[in-house]
Amino acid sequence: MLAGLLVAGLWLLHTAGAKTVHGSFDSALAWHGRGQHIFTFLFHGEQAVLRVRISNVAAAVGKDAALYLYQDEEWVRMHGSMEEYSCPERLALAQVTIPLNQTEYNYTLPQIISPVAWYAIYVDKYTCLMSYEDPTSDEITFQVTLLNPDAAGNPFDHFGADESGLHEFFFLLVLVYFVVACIYIQALWQTIKKGGPMHTVLKVLSNALVLQVISALANYLHFSWYAKDGKGAPFIGSVAELCDMASEVQMLYLLLSLCMGWTLSRMKKSQSRPLQWDSTPTSTGIAVVAVVVQVILLVWEQFQDTNHHSYHAHQSLAGLLLIAMKVCLAISLAFGLYHIITVERSTMKRQFYITFAKGCLLWFLCHPCFAAISYLFKEYQREKVITVGVILSQSLSMIILYRLFLSHSLYWEVSSLSSVTLPLTVSSGHKSRYYYP
């Protein structure tokens, strides 16, 4: 699992993108692809600006170099039927042409009422030739800065319409995590040190939560730097994605092995035992297989979708398989928990299992549900809907599970943890008869 996550991390570092784009124009690449793709960006507002800086202006002028800009509709139509258009016809479809005949060029796009994706390609006089022949090999390096209007209408915002608002969201998320940690971390640590039947559960759950906190902090730092220079910190952004992946893997192993352990224990008629992590070779094996499959799909998805974001829109095959896997896991766990609940005689234990099922299903189904709900929104809003929805839902799922494993009224009544004092409690009203002030 660790090796797979490291491979994904190296790939993320290699492919991390930015909205201040550096590189060099390649005539050979432009000829092979009928244009060298430079960037894709969602502009909006009245003062969106494209700033281009190049070196070796003389070589660019000699090659008749230019940038061709296409709006999303024309770009999709052109690539949907490439064989129907000749190279000059494809270039004629461009909405904007920027000749590269000076060191720096600032272009203000026409007013954009609704956010729309713009695609830019590099083209020179060799691009549409039947056979490639470039007698000169002078390198032309470039820097393209893409800016949207900020709240005051000035073109200083590096975020595309698909990313706007995420910086503020992660700031608020980190702030909430910090406040909650200040209130509960000492009591939670004392609880974990006391041990008990669910000691391992609380440790794994806390590890997954720590990974989510690190991911949120890393995303905030990445977006903070990104807001200043349009580049961000690709390494920090990759750390955020790796932490999200590791958290997903830990929670999958925890929830699946817990549910399977309880199910197998009931099949062996061991109802008299207190609730605990009933790990068996069978339940552990099933959980390990599921974890390995998920890691493979997560790594595969990173290779298919190279943009930096923790929660993908799942338009790739690997993403769709991940969604299907989570739905199947939710159905199988729901079936197992339903069987446990229907045969359980104790009302208190039955309530424990019902609450656990809510937290478990919320964790697995939030991603598929928000991926489906996102299609009710415009394309540029979908990843924001998925990201915000999944993070909040998974946080709520963890709250449900923490309340379940630490509450007086439920957990103390059904497990042998009732013999020790839990300093962190979320129950209210009357004191449990097992509570020792």
Side-chain angles (χ1 to χ4, degrees):
M1 179 190 71
L2 180 59
L5 295 181
L6 288 176
V7 168
L10 293 174
W11 176 258
L12 289 170
L13 288 175
H14 178 69
T15 58
K19 299 312 176 189
T20 297
V21 185
H22 298 264
S24 60
F25 295 127
D26 190 331
S27 296
L29 189 61
W31 179 80
H32 283 288
R34 293 299 183 255
Q36 177 189 358
H37 180 260
I38 304 301
F39 68 80
T40 300
F41 191 69
L42 274 86
F43 289 104
H44 64 83
E46 297 183 3
Q47 297 292 328
V49 170
L50 167 64
R51 183 177 301 148
V52 184
R53 294 176 182 172
I54 66 171
S55 66
N56 203 344
V57 177
V61 172
K63 292 183 177 183
D64 294 332
L67 288 181
Y68 284 70
L69 273 64
Y70 299 82
Q71 286 191 8
D72 184 65
E73 183 178 351
E74 294 295 331
W75 182 266
V76 172
R77 185 177 69 171
M78 181 177 69
H79 281 263
S81 53
M82 290 285 288
E83 67 281 354
E84 295 182 8
Y85 299 94
S86 66
C87 181
E89 288 175 338
R90 287 198 293 270
L91 298 183
L93 293 174
Q95 277 82 11
V96 176
T97 303
I98 301 176
L100 302 175
N101 53 14
Q102 54 193 47
T103 303
E104 182 171 340
Y105 191 96
N106 290 329
Y107 180 81
T108 301
L109 277 76
Q111 181 178 1
I112 304 172
I113 299 176
S114 178
V116 61
W118 284 76
Y119 301 80
I121 61 173
Y122 165 78
V123 172
D124 57 33
K125 65 182 181 181
Y126 305 105
T127 300
C128 291
L129 295 180
M130 294 300 294
S131 60
Y132 176 69
E133 48 183 45
D134 181 7
T136 63
S137 58
D138 296 331
E139 184 180 35
I140 307 173
T141 60
F142 68 87
Q143 175 179 307
V144 178
T145 303
L146 310 168
L147 297 168
N148 274 319
D150 57 16
N154 300 314
F156 298 140
D157 187 4
H158 289 278
F159 291 103
D162 56 332
E163 300 166 320
S164 61
L166 289 179
H167 183 206
E168 293 79 4
F169 168 74
F170 282 110
F171 169 75
L172 293 175
L173 186 63
V174 170
L175 181 62
V176 170
Y177 279 142
F178 176 75
V179 172
V180 172
C182 291
I183 298 174
Y184 291 113
I185 191 169
Q186 183 179 1
L188 178 60
W189 176 248
Q190 292 176 359
T191 301
I192 293 176
K193 287 199 301 183
K194 288 182 179 294
M198 284 297 180
H199 172 69
T200 307
V201 173
L202 292 174
K203 285 179 62 178
V204 176
L205 186 61
S206 299
N207 288 339
L209 178 59
V210 169
L211 288 170
Q212 285 202 326
V213 172
I214 295 174
S215 174
L217 179 60
N219 271 315
Y220 170 68
L221 293 175
H222 168 70
F223 282 119
S224 295
W225 281 312
Y226 188 96
K228 297 177 181 178
D229 58 13
K231 302 174 186 177
F235 174 77
I236 300 297
S238 298
V239 168
E241 290 201 50
L242 288 176
C243 287
D244 276 320
M245 293 165 63
S247 177
E248 288 263 352
V249 167
Q250 285 215 345
M251 287 298 293
L252 170 63
Y253 180 78
L254 170 66
L255 298 178
L256 188 58
S257 59
L258 268 175
C259 184
M260 292 302 301
W262 290 336
T263 302
L264 295 174
S265 295
R266 291 213 159 254
M267 292 172 60
K268 296 176 181 178
K269 308 297 183 183
S270 57
Q271 290 92 336
S272 60
R273 297 175 60 188
L275 287 177
Q276 58 184 0
W277 193 332
D278 292 315
S279 179
T280 66
T282 303
S283 64
T284 301
I286 294 174
V288 168
V289 170
V291 164
V292 171
V293 172
Q294 185 179 46
V295 169
I296 292 173
L297 291 177
L298 286 170
V299 174
W300 184 16
E301 184 185 35
Q302 300 304 324
F303 279 85
Q304 288 194 319
D305 191 350
T306 58
N307 292 322
H308 164 68
H309 39 179
S310 294
Y311 299 97
H312 300 260
H314 298 301
Q315 297 177 353
S316 64
L317 176 59
L320 293 175
L321 290 176
L322 269 173
I323 290 290
M325 177 183 175
K326 291 181 179 181
V327 173
C328 292
L329 284 172
I331 294 174
S332 61
L333 293 182
F335 179 79
L337 290 170
Y338 176 77
H339 175 72
I340 294 176
I341 293 169
T342 53
V343 300
E344 179 58 62
R345 296 181 180 180
S346 168
T347 302
M348 192 66 69
K349 287 188 178 183
R350 190 160 55 246
Q351 184 61 37
F352 178 91
Y353 288 124
I354 291 174
T355 306
F356 177 80
K358 292 177 181 178
C360 187
L361 294 179
L362 179 60
W363 179 271
F364 284 115
L365 291 180
C366 64
H367 209 164
C369 288
F370 278 103
I373 292 172
S374 68
Y375 282 92
L376 300 176
F377 297 83
K378 295 181 179 179
E379 186 173 359
Y380 73 90
Q381 297 174 320
R382 290 174 186 171
E383 284 189 9
K384 290 192 288 187
V385 170
I386 295 173
T387 299
V388 174
V390 170
I391 289 176
L392 295 180
S393 298
Q394 290 183 344
S395 299
L396 178 59
S397 173
M398 286 192 166
I399 291 173
I400 292 173
L401 294 174
Y402 267 120
R403 287 177 60 92
L404 180 66
F405 295 132
L406 297 173
S407 68
H408 291 178
S409 56
L410 280 178
Y411 189 69
W412 283 25
E413 294 288 346
V414 298
S415 76
S416 59
L417 268 182
S418 58
S419 62
V420 299
T421 302
L422 296 185
L424 179 61
T425 176
V426 291
S427 63
S428 58
H430 68 279
K431 292 184 178 179
S432 168
R433 60 191 178 93
Y434 299 105
Y435 177 70
Y436 301 100

